[in-house]
Amino acid sequence: MTVVAVIVAVVAVVVVTRDKDPREFVAEKYRRAQQHDQANNGLAFLATGAPAAVAATIAKATDPRDKRSTGDNHYLRFDDDLVSVAPHAAGTLVLVDSFANGTRRHHAHTSTYGWTSGTAAGDYRGGGSDSGGK
């Protein structure tokens, strides 16, 4: 019986402390701002804190694969998503994109980090001869 209780407790801790999905976290935490949505499904949200603080809050809750900043603009990289956090009026604009769309949208910054819009295999240009390797 004690072993079962320990297993249940461990599973409960893992489920509760599991990193949140960035899309879900941003949608729950910040105010939706459709008027600031971007082309190709860039979903906009507004926050009252400074960009660095907002980016840190999102990163702490979601555990991005990488995070970078250029000036006051912050970028959080996930497997499928890219979250950009930037100054807007008296607060912050959070933009949630698919990773491919986000890296294209923010190419001027994300390309300097080595982030590309394709997968590792998709970025491979190939090579070799056009004579079938003969």
Side-chain angles (χ1 to χ4, degrees):
M1 204 59 156
T2 304
V3 173
V4 172
V6 169
I7 291 172
V8 168
V10 168
V11 169
V13 168
V14 168
V15 169
V16 170
T17 61
R18 176 180 63 187
D19 296 323
K20 293 195 84 153
D21 174 83
R23 287 179 179 272
E24 289 177 16
F25 179 78
V26 169
E28 290 170 3
K29 179 90 175 151
Y30 303 108
R31 183 171 54 89
R32 184 76 168 89
Q34 291 177 322
Q35 70 275 21
H36 297 294
D37 282 356
Q38 300 293 308
N40 299 317
N41 299 314
L43 302 178
F45 298 84
L46 294 175
T48 56
V54 172
T57 298
I58 296 168
K60 183 176 180 182
T62 59
D63 193 29
R65 287 182 59 197
D66 198 1
K67 55 187 175 185
R68 304 286 179 99
S69 61
T70 302
D72 286 336
N73 297 317
H74 301 266
Y75 303 93
L76 306 174
R77 177 184 181 167
F78 300 89
D79 288 336
D80 298 322
D81 299 304
L82 184 121
V83 176
S84 67
V85 181
H88 177 77
T92 295
L93 178 68
V94 179
L95 189 62
V96 180
D97 272 302
S98 71
F99 183 73
N101 285 337
T103 53
R104 284 191 292 269
R105 184 182 322 283
H106 304 288
H107 178 78
H109 300 290
T110 61
S111 64
T112 64
Y113 311 145
W115 300 354
T116 60
S117 61
T119 63
D123 289 343
Y124 179 68
R125 299 265 187 250
S129 71
D130 49 359
S131 61
K134 295 180 187 174

